[in-house]
Amino acid sequence: MMAVVNGKKLHRSKNWKVLIYGKPGVGKTSAARELSGKTLLLSLDNSHRVLADFDIDVWKDPTLDPDDESAMFDRIHPNESLTRFLEEHGTNKNDYTNFVIDNVSSLEKDWFVEQGRKSHNKISNEIQDYGMWSNYFSRIMTTILLIPNVNVLVTAWENTRDVTSETGQSFSQYAPAIRDSVRDGLLGLTDVVGRVVISTKTNHRGVILAGSDAIFAKNRLDDRTACAIEDLFKFGGDSDVSASSLPEEAS
């Protein structure tokens, strides 16, 4: 007999996978403060100090100086550091509710720097590095996103580029700052992709959840098209949000 599960029995917001991106300083790392439950943060860019005084665990690479709070992840040897993280937490044996992978744009940069040091001139990347990165990143992120019984929040910097449409219209396009060869695969594995923005008038932080030609975004967990960042993880709530709580661009 064919095994099927009726859609009415599925839970869209159970063990969600979310990616948010934005300019440095808009509060991507700080979004971890809004998570409910036991949270573990992997600080790929070592920007974890914004979480001081919050009840959030930050993973520390055991090969680094235990007294140095500025470095939790080994950015000089990111491959080895990520391997150690997955060996320790790849099965979520400590029953975390949430994993935060902060920030994959920094990981990409550090990975290519490490590969450059292994090249013939000890600086430049070689052609095969780009194919290796696609395979490596896809394998690592798939492994993390498939860890059982845990929500995963991934952050990235923002990349902006000028685009001309088929009709001749020119506009700026906003996307996570990772190479195109791995970006689409990562976005396909996530339930929500949001662009974090800050209002220049009110300083409110909001997340754009509706995609367009100009913005990489999506939301397949509920009907919201934008929300205040403190409400981001309240999936299944009302689709309407207060415009006063959002940056003018998002609202």
Side-chain angles (χ1 to χ4, degrees), residues 100 113 125 166 209 221:
V100 181
V113 170
N125 288 111
E166 294 180 355
L209 301 173
L221 294 184

Side-chain angles (χ1 to χ4, degrees), residues 66-152:
D67 297 322
D68 183 5
E69 294 183 357
S70 65
M72 297 294 190
F73 182 76
D74 187 354
R75 298 186 62 182
I76 305 300
H77 307 97
N79 286 352
E80 294 85 345
S81 203
L82 263 176
T83 297
R84 286 187 284 270
F85 171 80
L86 289 173
E87 288 174 347
E88 186 173 343
H89 294 288
T91 60
N92 192 22
K93 61 184 178 182
N94 293 313
D95 293 326
Y96 282 100
T97 309
N98 313 293
F99 281 175
V100 181
I101 312 302
D102 181 49
N103 137 10
V104 293
S105 303
S106 176
L107 172 64
E108 180 176 83
K109 178 181 177 182
D110 292 341
W111 189 91
F112 277 102
V113 170
E114 181 183 30
Q115 293 305 115
R117 286 194 297 267
K118 299 176 182 178
S119 66
H120 290 92
N121 63 9
K122 308 301 181 183
I123 298 176
S124 303
N125 288 111
E126 300 178 353
I127 294 176
Q128 62 267 26
D129 290 344
Y130 300 95
M132 290 173 57
W133 167 249
S134 297
N135 293 331
Y136 174 79
F137 184 81
S138 297
R139 177 169 53 84
I140 287 294
M141 293 310 301
T142 299
T143 299
I144 292 174
L145 291 170
L146 291 180
I147 293 174
N149 303 318
V150 66
N151 304 316
V152 181

Side-chain angles (χ1 to χ4, degrees), residues 225-241:
T225 59
C227 67
I229 198 163
E230 58 265 27
D231 297 327
L232 175 61
F233 306 110
K234 299 175 182 178
F235 299 116
D238 294 336
S239 58
D240 295 328
V241 293

